Amino acid sequence: MSSPAPVAETTSGGRPQSWAEAAQVLAARREFALGMGGEANIEKQREKGRLTPRERVELLFDPGSFQEQGALALGTLIVPGRPDRAAPADGIVVGWGDVVGRRVCVIADDGTIAAGARGHAANRKAAAISAFARNSRLPLVWFAESSVNRMQHVMGAQFAGDLERELGALPPLRFMSSGLRAPTVIAISGQSVGRPSFAAMVSEFVTLNRGSSAMALAGPSIVRAAIGGPVTSDELGGAEMHGKGTGLVDYVGDSEADSIDGIRRFLDYLPPYTGAAPRRLPSDDPGDRLCPELYDIVPLAYRRAYDMRKVARAVVDNGELLEIKGDFARNLVTALARIDGWTVGIVANNPLHAAGIVDPPAIQKLVRFVQLCNLYNIPIVILQDQPGVMVGPGVERQQIVKNVVWLSQTMRSVTTPVLTVLVRKCYGFSYLLLGARMNGGDTVVAWPSASISLAGPEAGVATVLAAEERAGTLTDERRAEVLAAFFEDSRARHAAYAGRLDDILEPEQTRAFLARQLALIGIRGAGIRYSPKPALRQ
Amino acid sequence: MTTKELKKKGKAAEAGALLAAAASGADLRYVGGRPVSFVHCSVASAASLRRALRRRLPIVAIVDKDTSDETAWSLRGSWSAAPEADPLSTVDVERLNRPLIALLLEGADAGALAPAGEGPDIVIAVRGDGDGGDVDLAVADVAGAEAAIAEALVVLQSVTHGRGTVVPPAPGSLTDVVPFELDGAYDMTDVVARLVDGGRTVPIARPHAAGVSTALASIGGIPVGIMASRPERDQGRLDSAEIRRIERFVRLTGALRLPLVSLVDTAGERWSDSADLLGALRDALLAVQSPATPKCVVITGRAYGLGAALMGAVAARADYVVAWARADLAGRAYTEDDELGPLATSPFAAVEAAVIHEVLEPDATRQALIDVLGSLTTVGADEGSDGH
C-alpha cells in the first residue's frame, strides 16, 4: 500500500467504455480505499497504541460478515502550499455485519487520515448509515476518533450552511428522540472532543481504551489557550477521569481488543431494539444448580466486608459478568449476565467498598443502569446489603436529597420485572429504594441472614438510649439487652411472617429460585411492556 | 369448517373455489394450495364477514354489480374512518394485517372501492378493461382470476409468514442483456428476471401506463414490490398515467408492508399535458417522499429530472441507492450541445460525494439487494421507517 495519491491520479479522467473496463476501475478504487491513510500514517496510528478502523471493524464483527458501504467515497485534503491529496473513503468506514449472529451497523472514523477529521462525504456516509440503522432498528457502533470536521470545510460562512444540515441529520443525538430505538455504542478510540463526547452522553454503552483514548469537551490545546497550564488529553478525559472519576464511561478496556470484546458482549446481552425481548441462549450451567459456596463468601458478622461480585458470579451462568462502570462508585455493582440463559441486569451493593453504602455516585450509576434495563426489557436482580444512605455535609453538597428522590422515582416507573434478594444488611430508607415492593420489586426474598430496619441496631440503640447516656445511667448490660432486642426484631423472618416478603431463601437456593422466576417471566414475555407499577403495593 | 380441517382436506377443495364461494356468500377455500377466505359482498351477512376477518387468512372479496357502495367501502378503510357506522368496527383490521384482494366481477363498479392503502391491496377485474383507474389487473374470465389470485397469494402470504424459499433467478449474466452504451437498447424485463427469485413476478399491470412496470416478487426469499421504468419506450420517460401508477404502487407496497425495489433508467418526464402532469407529480412526490416501507434503488442507466427523483434515484428518500457503471445522473434531460454545458454526473462522481451508496457490477446487484433487504426487514411488520 502506498500513501494516498493526489486526487487527479485517483479519480477517473473519463468514464469507462465497457463493462470490463468498469470492473477494473471499481476494483482499483476499492483497493485504494483499503489503503486508508497510507503505510506511514498507519504506522503512526500503531505507535499511539491504536488500531486502524478496518482492524476495529474486523474485531467487532463475526468473521466474514462485514459489508462496507460507500467505500468508493473520496475526499480531498487541502493544505495551502501543498498539493491536494485524496482521502480514501473520505476518512470513514461504514457498513454493517453480524455480532454474535445479529446484524449491527458501524461507523469507524479513520485516524490515519487527517487524524480522523471528516469531510462532507464522510458526514453524508455517517448520516446515511445512521438513518439505515434507525429505520431498521439495528444497533449502531461508532468508533469515534476525533470525528470533527476538517477545518477547511468549516472555515467561514460554510459553517452555517452545509455543515449545519449535515450535523442536523446525524444521530445518535436524534436517535434518542425516537420512541422505538436500537442501542447505540460509542467506542472512544482516539482523542474525541465535541460531537462524539455529546453522543456518548445519550448512548447506551460507552467504551474507552486505557492509555490510548480520551473523551473531552475540548482538547489540550484549547484548554491551554483558555485557562492556561499544561494538561494532557489523558488527564482531561482518560481512563482515570471518566472510568473512576466521573463514571461517564461504561467500560474501560485495557486494550482496544478488550473494549471491542466488551462491546460484543454488551450487544449479545441486549435485544436488537427496545420493542423486543432479550434472547435466551442455551446454557450449559444448570438452572437448578445449588450455590453452597455462598455460605463461605458472605460472613454473618455484619461489620465484616466481602466482595458482592463473588456472590453475583456464584449465581449467574458460568460466573460470567459484564460489569458496567466497574471502577466508578465501587460500593455498587451493576452488571449484565445470564441466569439459566435469561439475560438479567444485576444491581448489588458491595460491602467491600464503603460497606456498600448508598451515596450520590452510586445512585447515579444505579439509575442509569436501571433505565437501560427498563428500556430493553431486561429483568433486574437486586442483591441488597447496605447500611443506608450516606449522610453528612459532604453528600449534602452532592445533592443527596435530590438523588434519593430521583432514584425513588426511577424505581417506581420501572416496567421490567424486578427480583430482589435481601442478603444481609437492609437498613434505612435505601432498603425501600432498592427493590422493595413499594419501589418496583415484583418478588422480594431474603436470606436468613438478612436484617431489615429503618436504622442499624447500633444506630437505633444510640438514638433510643441517648437520654440515659446523657444522664450517665446507661449500663453495658442495658445497652447489650436493647441491642439484642433490636437485632432480633430486625430479622427478615419477622417480615416474612407478616407477609411483607415473599419467602425466606436458603442462600444456596438463590440461583435455582431466580431461574424459576425468570422462566415464569419468560413465559409471559419480558418484551411485553406493562403499565408503570403503582406507587404503593404493600 | 375450521382452518385445521381445511388444511387436512388439502387441494381437493380447490376446484371451482371462486364460483362456489360466490354462491355461498362466505366460505373457506384453497387457492393455489393456500387457505383463503372468500366473501361475496352482495350475499354475505355481517356475521359471516366478521368471521372471515377473524380467521387471519387472506381475504378475497367478490364484488358484483349488485354490491352496494357501502359494503364495498367497508372492505378496509371505512372501518377506521367511521367505526360507529359499521357493524364490523370491533375488528381491528389493520392489526390483523393480512392481504385483502378485491375481485370485480363483470359489471361491478371499480369506483365503489377505496383506493389502495385504504381499500383492498389488489383489485382484479374480470373482463374489465382496466381503465377504471383503481384496477390493478384485468383478466379475461373467472379461471384467469383464480390463477391471478393464486399468483398474488404466493407473494402476499409471505408478507405475513416471513421469508420464503430462496430460488435462483433467471440464468445468464446481466452484462449480456444490458449493453454498456447508454443508448444501447435492452428490455428491463430481462433485468428484473435476473434479480428476482425464479425470474418470476406477479405483475400489477395497468395497460394504459405501460412505460413503467410494477410487480410483486421475492428476492432472496424476501417478498418485495418492484417498479421499473422501461428504457425501451421513449428512453423511459414518464407521463402522467405512469406517474400515477408509481404513486399507487408505492402506496400499495406501503399497505402490504413490502420493501420497494426501484429500477431506474429514465430520461425524465414527458411534458404532454403540463397541468395534468404537474398534478400527478405533486401527488406522487408526496407518496414517494414518505414511504411506509424500506426502499432500495438501482440506477441502471439514465436518471434524469423529476422522473428519476420519483423513482428514488437521488432526491426521494431511499434507504439504499446504487448505480451501475453505465449510469448517467442529471437534473434534467440534456443533449451533447446543451447551452448549459455538461449537465450529467457519472456514478463514480456521485459515489465519491456519497450521494449514492455504491457503484456495483450488475451481477453483484442481486446479492447486494438480498443483504440490504435482510437488514431492512428486521423491523416488525407493523413499524414503518422514518426519514433521514
Side-chain angles (χ1 to χ4, degrees):
Chain A
M1 295 177 192
S2 59
S3 296
V7 172
E9 293 177 24
T10 55
T11 51
S12 173
R15 296 191 183 192
Q17 298 301 310
S18 68
W19 286 123
E21 190 183 347
Q24 287 175 358
V25 171
L26 282 173
R29 286 176 172 234
R30 285 174 185 143
E31 180 67 24
F32 180 71
L34 293 177
M36 297 177 283
E39 284 180 355
N41 289 331
I42 291 172
E43 189 54 39
K44 283 182 191 169
Q45 182 82 346
R46 296 218 168 96
E47 286 168 5
K48 294 175 189 168
R50 299 176 189 163
L51 300 175
T52 68
R54 294 181 185 281
E55 288 168 338
R56 288 169 185 149
V57 165
E58 196 175 320
L59 284 172
L60 175 67
F61 291 122
D62 299 345
S65 69
F66 176 60
Q67 294 172 48
E68 187 171 356
Q69 297 297 301
L72 303 181
L74 198 65
T76 308
L77 304 178
I78 304 168
V79 179
R82 295 186 200 166
D84 291 351
R85 300 185 70 76
D90 204 19
I92 188 172
V93 177
V94 305
W96 60 77
D98 295 336
V99 173
V100 201
R102 280 200 309 219
R103 188 62 50 90
V104 172
C105 294
V106 70
I107 298 171
D109 294 311
D110 189 346
T112 70
I113 297 172
R118 293 179 180 175
H120 293 309
N123 276 329
R124 283 192 200 105
K125 284 171 66 175
I129 196 69
S130 301
F132 188 91
R134 187 168 63 247
N135 289 340
S136 308
R137 312 272 186 255
L138 293 174
L140 175 70
V141 177
W142 176 6
F143 290 102
E145 187 162 1
S146 178
S147 312
V148 296
N149 290 274
R150 287 183 204 127
M151 192 59 82
Q152 58 267 42
H153 293 312
V154 291
M155 289 302 292
Q158 289 184 81
F159 180 69
D162 293 347
L163 181 67
E164 193 176 348
R165 189 182 64 251
E166 288 163 10
L167 293 181
L170 271 181
L173 293 174
R174 274 186 56 186
F175 208 81
M176 295 296 287
S177 64
S178 169
L180 272 173
R181 68 177 213 246
T184 47
V185 174
I186 306 294
I188 304 295
S189 305
Q191 182 180 302
S192 298
V193 295
R195 189 194 301 173
S197 305
F198 301 141
M201 296 305 99
V202 289
S203 296
E204 275 77 354
F205 194 58
V206 184
T207 68
L208 193 132
N209 312 316
R210 198 180 303 280
S212 65
S213 68
M215 174 181 77
L217 182 66
S221 57
I222 300 283
V223 172
R224 276 194 292 272
I227 61 175
V231 63
T232 66
S233 61
D234 203 49
E235 288 167 343
L236 273 175
E240 191 70 25
M241 172 65 80
H242 291 312
K244 285 185 183 175
T246 67
L248 295 180
V249 166
D250 296 304
Y251 187 91
V252 177
D254 291 328
S255 64
E256 281 207 59
D258 183 15
S259 292
I260 293 171
D261 181 60
I263 293 169
R264 284 178 58 87
R265 291 167 63 198
F266 177 78
L267 292 174
D268 185 30
Y269 284 122
L270 259 65
Y273 56 94
T274 51
R279 58 182 169 182
R280 184 196 183 195
L281 293 184
S283 172
D284 55 3
D285 194 353
D288 58 358
R289 171 174 59 79
L290 297 180
C291 309
E293 65 270 35
L294 290 173
Y295 295 114
D296 297 327
I297 295 172
V298 182
L300 284 174
Y302 287 0
R303 288 184 175 277
R304 283 187 57 194
Y306 67 95
D307 191 348
M308 184 64 96
R309 289 176 298 184
K310 291 182 180 174
V311 175
R313 288 200 182 96
V315 170
V316 304
D317 289 355
N318 302 311
E320 290 175 6
L321 286 178
L322 176 63
E323 223 180 319
I324 310 290
K325 302 187 196 297
D327 292 334
F328 173 69
R330 291 193 292 173
N331 40 330
L332 186 93
V333 176
T334 51
L336 292 167
R338 285 197 167 87
I339 295 178
D340 198 21
W342 303 100
T343 297
V344 293
I346 304 276
V347 173
N349 311 104
N350 194 355
L352 191 62
H353 301 282
I357 202 160
V358 178
D359 58 6
I363 291 175
Q364 289 157 21
K365 179 176 178 176
L366 195 159
V367 166
R368 175 144 176 140
F369 185 72
V370 166
Q371 287 173 338
L372 174 80
C373 293
N374 194 43
L375 199 56
Y376 289 94
N377 310 303
I378 298 171
I380 298 169
V381 173
I382 296 179
L383 303 173
Q384 191 179 146
D385 186 348
Q386 50 78 31
V389 178
M390 186 72 180
V391 294
V395 290
E396 295 294 346
R397 272 192 290 273
Q398 292 177 293
Q399 302 183 340
I400 184 67
V401 177
K402 184 177 168 185
N403 276 272
V404 165
V405 174
W406 184 35
L407 174 57
S408 176
Q409 289 180 336
T410 302
M411 293 303 295
R412 288 186 183 193
S413 65
V414 160
T415 56
T416 195
V418 176
L419 311 174
T420 306
V421 180
L422 308 179
V423 174
R424 215 174 52 167
K425 303 184 301 292
C426 305
Y427 296 150
F429 190 63
S430 45
Y431 158 69
L432 301 174
L433 293 173
L434 294 172
R437 282 182 181 169
M438 70 164 284
N439 273 310
D442 290 277
T443 300
V444 184
V445 297
W447 288 5
S449 52
S451 174
I452 305 169
S453 182
L454 177 62
E458 291 87 351
V461 166
T463 306
V464 171
L465 302 182
E468 292 178 38
E469 189 163 22
R470 280 196 302 273
T473 59
L474 181 61
T475 63
D476 289 344
E477 292 74 19
R478 166 80 172 144
R479 184 193 301 273
E481 181 187 359
V482 175
L483 189 63
F486 279 170
F487 263 119
E488 177 55 30
D489 285 348
S490 63
R491 299 273 184 213
R493 64 171 179 269
H494 296 298
Y497 296 156
R500 296 193 177 96
L501 299 179
D502 292 296
D503 208 353
I504 300 291
L505 195 67
E506 278 299 319
E508 67 176 5
Q509 294 281 352
T510 304
R511 173 179 165 83
F513 173 81
L514 292 172
R516 287 196 300 274
Q517 293 291 316
L518 291 165
L520 279 173
I521 293 165
I523 289 169
R524 77 181 186 194
I528 299 170
R529 306 310 298 261
Y530 301 98
S531 58
K533 293 170 182 174
L536 288 168
R537 296 198 314 180
Q538 286 282 30
Chain B
M1 187 185 300
T2 65
T3 307
K4 196 173 178 183
E5 289 166 343
L6 192 69
K7 283 180 179 171
K8 284 182 183 172
K9 208 170 172 184
K11 290 190 175 181
E14 269 189 41
L18 200 149
L19 290 177
S24 64
D27 203 355
L28 276 169
R29 297 280 170 173
Y30 262 86
V31 173
R34 295 163 190 275
V36 177
S37 284
F38 280 90
V39 174
H40 195 302
C41 294
S42 298
V43 183
S45 65
S48 59
L49 275 170
R50 195 180 298 120
R51 278 198 301 276
L53 289 166
R54 285 179 173 159
R55 286 181 192 127
R56 291 173 174 259
L57 293 174
I59 295 177
V60 175
I62 303 166
V63 180
D64 65 12
K65 60 182 181 337
D66 297 324
T67 303
S68 67
D69 286 1
E70 290 76 16
T71 310
W73 267 87
S74 72
L75 289 176
R76 177 167 284 177
S78 61
W79 292 332
S80 54
E84 71 286 351
D86 196 288
L88 306 181
S89 60
T90 54
V91 181
D92 186 345
V93 184
E94 291 298 333
R95 183 173 58 79
L96 295 179
N97 190 32
R98 70 274 173 277
L100 176 61
I101 297 171
L103 177 64
L104 306 183
L105 298 181
E106 194 173 8
D109 179 12
L113 297 168
E118 298 171 11
D121 297 318
I122 295 178
V123 180
I124 300 172
V126 177
R127 291 176 188 152
D129 56 10
D131 279 344
D134 289 314
V135 174
D136 293 306
L137 194 59
V139 294
D141 50 25
V142 172
E146 285 200 1
I149 291 168
E151 282 281 296
L153 287 174
V154 170
V155 172
L156 294 179
Q157 270 293 83
S158 56
V159 177
T160 49
H161 292 83
R163 288 192 185 193
T165 309
V166 180
V167 181
S173 170
L174 278 165
T175 54
D176 291 337
V177 297
V178 181
F180 190 84
E181 299 72 30
L182 204 54
D183 290 326
Y186 70 98
D187 187 344
M188 189 65 97
T189 311
D190 294 331
V191 175
V192 173
R194 281 161 180 78
L195 294 177
V196 303
D197 293 352
R200 185 162 153 266
T201 63
V202 181
I204 305 295
R206 301 181 74 188
H208 64 293
V212 62
S213 62
T214 48
L216 306 178
S218 291
I219 297 179
I222 302 166
V224 296
I226 288 194
M227 66 179 186
S229 53
R230 301 184 63 184
E232 69 273 22
R233 293 170 60 98
D234 192 19
Q235 295 188 339
R237 286 187 177 84
L238 307 174
D239 65 14
S240 56
E242 284 142 2
I243 289 168
R244 289 207 165 85
R245 180 173 176 178
I246 289 171
E247 179 205 348
R248 181 179 161 84
F249 190 68
V250 170
R251 293 189 191 282
L252 173 68
T253 54
L256 296 178
R257 306 294 185 194
L258 286 173
L260 181 63
V261 174
S262 176
L263 304 177
V264 183
D265 189 345
T266 174
E269 52 289 339
R270 191 185 303 121
W271 292 91
S272 53
D273 179 343
S274 294
D276 188 39
L277 188 76
L278 279 172
L281 279 170
R282 175 193 175 280
D283 296 342
L285 280 168
L286 286 173
V288 301
Q289 285 292 356
S290 52
T293 49
K295 185 161 67 175
C296 300
V297 181
V298 181
I299 303 171
T300 64
R302 293 179 177 86
Y304 299 161
L306 284 171
L310 266 184
M311 300 197 70
V314 176
R317 196 193 70 73
D319 297 281
Y320 185 63
V321 184
V322 297
W324 292 353
R326 73 188 292 274
D328 196 44
L329 290 76
R332 63 170 171 81
Y334 68 98
T335 56
E336 289 300 322
D337 55 351
D338 198 288
E339 60 184 13
L340 293 180
L343 290 174
T345 297
S346 82
F348 293 98
V351 77
E352 281 177 6
V355 174
I356 62 174
H357 291 89
E358 285 294 336
V359 179
L360 285 180
E361 293 89 346
D363 290 329
T365 308
R366 174 177 154 88
Q367 188 56 50
L369 288 174
I370 291 172
D371 292 337
V372 175
L373 290 167
S375 296
L376 288 169
T377 51
T378 59
V379 181
D382 58 342
E383 298 168 29
S385 56
D386 57 2
H388 279 227

